[in-house]
Amino acid sequence: MSELTTGSFSIGDLENVQITINNIVGAIEKQTDKSDEEMGPTPKPGVSSLRDWDHTIFERYEPIYTPMCDQCCYCTFGPCDLSGNKEGACGINLEAHNAREFMLRVMTGAAAHAGHGRHLLHHMIDLYGKDYPLDVGPTNIIAPNVQAVTGLKPETLGDLDIVLNYVEEQLTQLLATVHAGQEGAAIDFESKAMHGGMIDHVGMEVSDIIQISCLGFPKSDANPPLADIGMGCIDPSKPNLIVIGHNVAAVTDIIDYMEDNDLTDKIELGGLCCTALDMTRYKMDGSAEDQVPKAKIIGSLAKELKVIRSGAPDVIVVDEQCIRADVLPEAQKLMIPVITTNDKVMYGLKDRSNDDVEDILADLTSGKEPGALLLDFEKVGEIAPRLAMMMSEIRKQKGIKALPTEEELKEQVDKCVHCLACEIACPDNLPISEAMKLGKEGDFTKFEWIHDKCLGCGRCEFACPKDIDIVNVIEKSSQKLIRSEIGKVRAGRGPISDPEIREEGVNLVLGTTPGIVAMVGCSNYPDGTKDLFDIAKEMLQRNYIVVVSGCSAMDLGMYKDEDGLTLYEKYPAKFKSGGLINVGSCVSNGHITAAVIKVAAIFAQKQVSGNYEELADYSLNRVGAVGVAWGAYSQKAASIGTGCTRLGIPVILGPHGSKYRRALIAKPYKEDKWNVYDARDGSEMKIPAAPEFLLTTCETIEEMMPMLAKSCIRPSDNNMGRMIKLTHYIELSQKYLGVMPDDWQNYVRMETDLPLAKRQELLKILEEEHGWEIDWKRKKILSGPVMKSDVSAQPTNLKRLCKEA
């Protein structure tokens, strides 16, 4: 037996331990490439098609609301006071109103991703035609989310048009229910939110499949190149062209123009947010070690205002999503032209798409116009680099000043009266007043400490009665730190390939790989980006698979360990135990849920097409995965998380996530709701409340660490898997909270589930404190559990499951 090391013990050292695998995954190596695969029960589900599944989830996981206010202001009947048991003029109560509010946020996020996909699809069909083939790497299931939801197996760009038509129809139907005088039940608003979250993962998957297929992005590349990241990686001596947003379509024309005109080394091309991640994926073909991305990643949304205020950009190009609404006025202060390239962000600028290139350049360099709307990407590709070179010289000649001088910095801090208005306005209550006090004494190091933790929102400045440019003070004081702010991040690799799933999926199903930790979300962290490094490092060291995307993927690359390496440089980028995988930008999140669907398809031989409910049932009961959005900020984060919860993947949000005003918490006291059916014989069995939530928030990473391990526990864990997961759960609780968890005993079915190093000690506690008698307390290990509490609701599925087992 080969040795497998997990946590504090080595499985290779085990003796006389019987591992009961049963026929846990059937014929484990069978593939799902059958051309005659049957269609599941819910292809292209409507708003109500999966309602029973949602209600089954809500029977276990109660929606909990924390409203910010108790009024409804939707229509001219209002405002209506919904406090207590009051109803609004339309008859809605506070619970339903809050469920509606959350549903609307989910829909907004889903629409952002679907809109992104639609924009890309039109553009790529114009370039390549509807028959252009889809290629995402080695797989039999090109689009797992698409296939599971719609039943379709897309092969060309034209096929994706059908998928997006479905997505857009569902979003329209969902939006209609928000109108005053429609739905009135909170639980059905919740079901509709779940539907929107599921649809979002379809839209995201479509978006990235288009990019990967048409733009030469890495295709399931297990060793993608490293890209530079950080404010310090940009060379200020060169013209700086900065792009911001999430849609890389126009930026690819910029890269092509720079390459064709030998400008790649003459202009610094840097980006913020997911456009930055995606432009480092462009033309990155294969896995050659000597490849270097043609662009640099500056950072996430939290860096936008800081970068503009620094005066570094000579031109800013924006597209869509997660772009500050004040980019244009902030850029105008420093004579930085702004080019908008997408009809979702136009800033009131003139549409110059059909104008002559030289005329546009003349108007922008003279300052006649502060920017231009350009929907012609070929023109963007030419104008942006040329404009950057021209503006670099013009701004130098004019002596454009950005951050304050040393004298001005002192004047700024001297104005502070320590009223604390800035700290009250700050989302993280950063000690700005204390830093100002030290600054008056000539010590600006506290501002350096604040720099990393600052979200760059600017709320402190609007609150300041003395009009201090607080963000400028922080950034000026941190210049030495900023110049050294250089990290490394893997270029987004795209989907998890079928071979990787076959190789590692069995370990996930059995639990010998303790779980998948998906770190996604925004840069709205409660205590700076270092938390991400600590979370990922801890879980990687414990052999969890860590999957990252978007802002979290970027910020994770900013820290080095004791060996001077980033986690991307230290851990493999393959989907395996202890692997760190950057799937890509926000729209790449669809690959994370897709991997879970592939595990069900390959290892449990689950039908994929139109079979979403059974796949979600399998995921919830068997696949140990948990999502973490530690910096949850946007509506997109809400929709991504909700799509995960419908698929049975629990999600943990950072403390700011409570502002979404909703959680899904288990009701373990309702014991009759915690029954599953063994696929071997259809017998009913009780299980512990695992996972114990589908959506919740945490205040600190110390609180969250043991929750990550516990959230990967599943009812059908094998003995070995349960032992490994319990070991991590107990160790993390003791390490970060200083105590044994108070519910570990709930997850013990037999003595071989217990951590080996503490087995005798824990057995004694079970017997003496919990009345646990080994002879009668043994619990059956489940195989292929079915969650539905009503067998008659899915007799065909249950009969087939039992037959397979």
Side-chain angles (χ1 to χ4, degrees):
M1 178 176 178
S2 61
E3 181 167 298
L4 170 63
T5 301
T6 91
S8 62
F9 64 91
S10 172
I11 294 174
D13 296 332
L14 296 180
E15 294 183 4
N16 301 319
V17 175
Q18 181 178 358
I19 304 173
T20 305
I21 298 178
N22 302 320
N23 46 358
I24 196 164
V25 290
I28 245 168
E29 291 299 331
K30 285 190 178 179
Q31 302 176 23
T32 57
D33 56 357
K34 298 177 293 183
S35 59
D36 59 342
E37 181 182 5
E38 296 179 1
M39 183 64 67
T42 55
K44 292 189 178 179
V47 173
S48 62
S49 301
L50 293 167
R51 180 173 180 257
D52 286 347
W53 168 248
D54 297 332
H55 283 218
T56 301
I57 289 177
F58 299 141
E59 286 178 353
R60 285 190 180 180
Y61 300 95
E62 182 178 7
I64 305 295
Y65 304 106
T66 54
M68 289 184 179
C69 78
D70 52 14
Q71 283 192 328
C72 176
C73 305
Y74 261 57
C75 71
T76 58
F77 274 139
C80 291
D81 179 8
L82 304 181
S83 61
N85 294 318
K86 299 173 186 173
E87 294 182 352
C90 72
I92 202 167
N93 59 26
L94 185 59
E95 182 184 37
H97 172 62
N98 277 283
R100 178 174 63 181
E101 288 277 283
F102 181 76
M103 171 198 161
L104 184 57
R105 279 148 187 77
V106 170
M107 288 174 50
T108 303
H113 289 138
H116 181 182
R118 175 58 75 183
H119 184 274
L120 278 173
L121 185 60
H122 282 323
H123 180 56
M124 295 306 171
I125 286 177
D126 285 345
L127 291 177
Y128 303 109
K130 286 190 174 185
D131 294 330
Y132 191 84
L134 303 179
D135 181 7
V136 296
T139 184
N140 291 316
I141 311 174
I142 291 177
N145 279 288
V146 169
Q147 191 171 330
V149 175
T150 68
L152 302 173
K153 299 179 183 180
E155 296 180 352
T156 66
L157 285 178
D159 294 338
L160 295 180
D161 185 54
I162 301 171
V163 177
L164 284 182
N165 285 340
Y166 163 73
V167 169
E168 290 157 354
E169 177 190 0
Q170 295 308 300
L171 287 173
T172 299
Q173 296 298 336
L174 288 171
L175 183 60
T177 68
V178 178
H179 191 278
Q182 295 266 31
E183 181 63 73
I187 192 171
D188 279 311
F189 275 125
E190 289 288 350
S191 176
K192 291 174 172 66
M194 289 286 213
H195 194 65
M198 179 188 73
I199 293 302
D200 185 33
H201 283 254
V202 175
M204 287 189 294
E205 189 172 73
V206 166
S207 298
D208 210 35
I209 285 174
I210 295 168
Q211 297 183 149
I212 292 169
S213 300
C214 298
L215 298 178
F217 285 9
K219 296 174 173 61
S220 301
D221 189 347
N223 191 27
L226 289 162
D228 290 332
I229 182 171
M231 293 178 72
C233 73
I234 298 296
D235 185 351
S237 67
K238 296 180 181 179
N240 273 220
L241 172 53
I242 306 301
V243 300
I244 307 174
H246 281 67
N247 192 330
V248 77
V251 183
T252 59
D253 281 82
I254 294 174
I255 294 174
D256 289 344
Y257 183 88
M258 290 173 59
E259 190 177 57
D260 293 343
N261 292 273
D262 196 26
L263 297 175
T264 302
D265 295 328
K266 298 181 177 65
I267 298 174
E268 283 287 82
L269 177 61
L272 293 135
C273 291
C274 284
T275 288
L277 273 175
D278 280 342
M279 69 186 187
T280 62
R281 302 166 76 188
Y282 184 51
K283 292 188 174 178
M284 303 305 294
D285 198 4
S287 58
E289 290 290 344
D290 58 348
Q291 286 189 324
V292 178
K294 296 178 175 60
K296 296 176 179 177
I297 304 170
I298 299 175
S300 60
L301 174 66
K303 304 288 187 187
E304 286 186 19
L305 184 60
K306 298 176 182 181
V307 169
I308 298 172
R309 293 278 187 91
S310 74
D314 292 301
V315 173
I316 294 174
V317 177
V318 302
D319 44 79
E320 63 174 306
Q321 299 172 41
C322 297
I323 305 166
R324 288 185 63 93
D326 60 354
V327 166
L328 183 61
E330 286 287 345
Q332 279 183 276
K333 296 174 186 176
L334 298 173
M335 201 176 175
I336 305 171
V338 176
I339 297 174
T340 62
T341 63
N342 192 293
D343 52 16
K344 300 180 190 72
V345 179
M346 297 189 284
Y347 289 148
L349 294 170
K350 291 182 181 178
D351 186 352
R352 306 296 299 273
S353 304
N354 298 317
D355 293 354
D356 180 75
V357 168
E358 301 303 328
D359 290 341
I360 297 170
L361 286 170
D363 288 346
L364 295 179
T365 53
S366 67
K368 180 180 178 182
E369 297 290 343
L373 168 63
L374 289 173
L375 302 177
D376 183 331
F377 292 166
E378 189 174 349
K379 283 184 179 176
V380 173
E382 177 183 355
I383 289 173
R386 289 181 60 189
L387 183 61
M389 292 188 292
M390 297 166 74
M391 291 305 303
S392 177
E393 292 301 318
I394 292 171
R395 295 174 75 240
K396 285 176 184 175
Q397 292 171 8
K398 290 184 175 291
I400 299 297
K401 190 181 77 160
L403 296 177
T405 63
E406 296 292 338
E407 294 75 17
E408 291 168 336
L409 177 63
K410 188 177 185 310
E411 291 174 6
Q412 288 278 303
V413 298
D414 285 344
K415 289 163 62 177
C416 180
V417 294
H418 308 289
C419 65
L420 302 181
C422 55
E423 296 187 12
I424 295 170
C426 175
D428 289 331
N429 304 116
L430 295 174
I432 300 169
S433 180
E434 178 187 347
M436 289 285 184
K437 188 181 215 179
L438 293 171
K440 289 180 181 181
E441 300 168 1
D443 180 2
F444 292 91
T445 56
K446 193 69 175 180
F447 285 117
E448 289 187 345
W449 181 86
I450 288 175
H451 165 73
D452 174 63
K453 300 177 186 297
C454 172
L455 303 177
C457 64
R459 283 172 54 173
C460 54
E461 293 186 352
F462 288 103
C464 180
K466 295 296 183 179
D467 296 325
I468 301 173
D469 298 324
I470 298 172
V471 174
N472 289 9
V473 170
I474 295 170
E475 296 308 291
K476 175 64 178 179
S477 303
S478 306
Q479 285 302 291
K480 182 179 178 181
L481 178 68
I482 290 170
R483 283 193 291 272
S484 64
E485 193 178 75
I486 303 174
K488 293 287 185 182
V489 60
R490 288 278 177 198
R493 52 153 289 163
I496 313 302
S497 69
D498 285 13
E500 289 175 289
I501 295 291
R502 292 191 189 97
E503 182 180 344
E504 184 62 26
V506 64
N507 298 321
L508 279 168
V509 171
L510 299 181
T512 51
T513 293
I516 302 170
V517 177
M519 298 176 61
V520 303
C522 319
S523 55
N524 192 20
Y525 313 118
D527 194 35
T529 54
K530 178 65 163 49
D531 281 349
L532 290 181
F533 175 87
D534 292 336
I535 296 166
K537 182 181 178 183
E538 180 71 65
M539 304 316 287
L540 286 167
Q541 288 175 337
R542 292 176 176 275
N543 287 326
Y544 287 79
I545 299 172
V546 176
V547 185
V548 295
S549 65
C551 288
S552 292
M554 289 186 269
D555 290 328
L556 187 60
M558 288 308 304
Y559 286 92
K560 298 177 175 65
D561 66 9
E562 58 276 6
D563 300 320
L565 298 173
T566 65
L567 295 179
Y568 289 109
E569 296 169 290
K570 192 158 187 175
Y571 290 92
K574 190 174 181 181
F575 187 77
K576 68 176 185 178
S577 178
L580 174 59
I581 302 103
N582 173 23
V583 291
S585 58
C586 275
V587 293
S588 304
N589 279 304
H591 302 316
I592 300 175
T593 46
V596 174
I597 292 171
K598 281 188 176 184
V599 169
I602 291 172
F603 287 94
Q605 305 158 57
K606 297 294 182 186
Q607 180 178 327
V608 176
S609 299
N611 196 31
Y612 188 89
E613 180 178 340
E614 188 177 336
L615 294 167
D617 200 326
Y618 181 86
S619 169
L620 180 61
N621 284 289
R622 187 178 289 286
V623 183
V626 58
V628 179
W630 194 239
Y633 161 75
S634 69
Q635 293 86 356
K636 294 192 301 174
S639 61
I640 292 168
T642 304
C644 288
T645 59
R646 196 183 217 191
L647 192 60
I649 303 171
V651 176
I652 303 174
L653 308 177
H656 290 303
S658 63
K659 297 170 189 174
Y660 287 133
R661 293 169 259 177
R662 179 256 204 180
L664 293 174
I665 307 298
K667 299 185 279 188
Y669 50 87
K670 292 191 175 182
E671 294 185 4
D672 61 317
K673 303 302 180 185
W674 295 91
N675 297 330
V676 294
Y677 295 87
D678 195 323
R680 290 171 296 195
D681 55 16
S683 61
E684 184 175 352
M685 293 185 63
K686 291 189 180 300
I687 59 169
E692 69 169 352
F693 60 83
L694 279 182
L695 181 68
T696 192
T697 60
C698 274
E699 288 298 314
T700 65
I701 62 168
E702 289 77 17
E703 178 189 357
M704 184 183 66
M705 288 293 198
M707 291 177 66
L708 291 176
K710 183 162 75 165
S711 297
C712 290
I713 293 174
R714 291 296 182 271
S716 53
D717 289 334
N718 167 266
N719 292 129
M720 179 70 76
R722 180 62 60 87
M723 178 182 67
I724 292 170
K725 293 179 182 183
L726 272 178
T727 297
H728 293 310
Y729 177 36
I730 291 171
E731 287 182 353
L732 286 167
S733 182
Q734 291 177 320
K735 179 177 179 178
Y736 288 97
L737 300 178
V739 296
M740 281 279 289
D742 59 8
D743 60 349
W744 63 269
Q745 67 280 353
N746 294 340
Y747 304 103
V748 181
R749 301 160 300 186
M750 57 185 67
E751 61 269 31
T752 49
D753 285 348
L754 292 167
L756 187 63
K758 295 187 175 186
R759 182 164 297 171
Q760 294 308 312
E761 173 190 345
L762 296 177
L763 274 172
K764 186 176 180 180
I765 294 173
L766 284 172
E767 293 169 5
E768 294 180 356
E769 298 181 17
H770 300 285
W772 201 81
E773 297 179 12
I774 295 176
D775 290 339
W776 61 266
K777 195 63 176 181
R778 293 173 184 268
K779 299 178 183 177
K780 187 177 176 185
I781 306 299
L782 293 169
S783 176
V786 179
M787 179 178 165
K788 293 286 284 193
S789 57
D790 180 8
V791 182
S792 64
Q794 53 173 176
T796 304
N797 282 353
L798 183 56
K799 182 177 180 181
R800 181 171 58 78
L801 283 168
C802 294
K803 182 179 179 182
E804 287 174 358

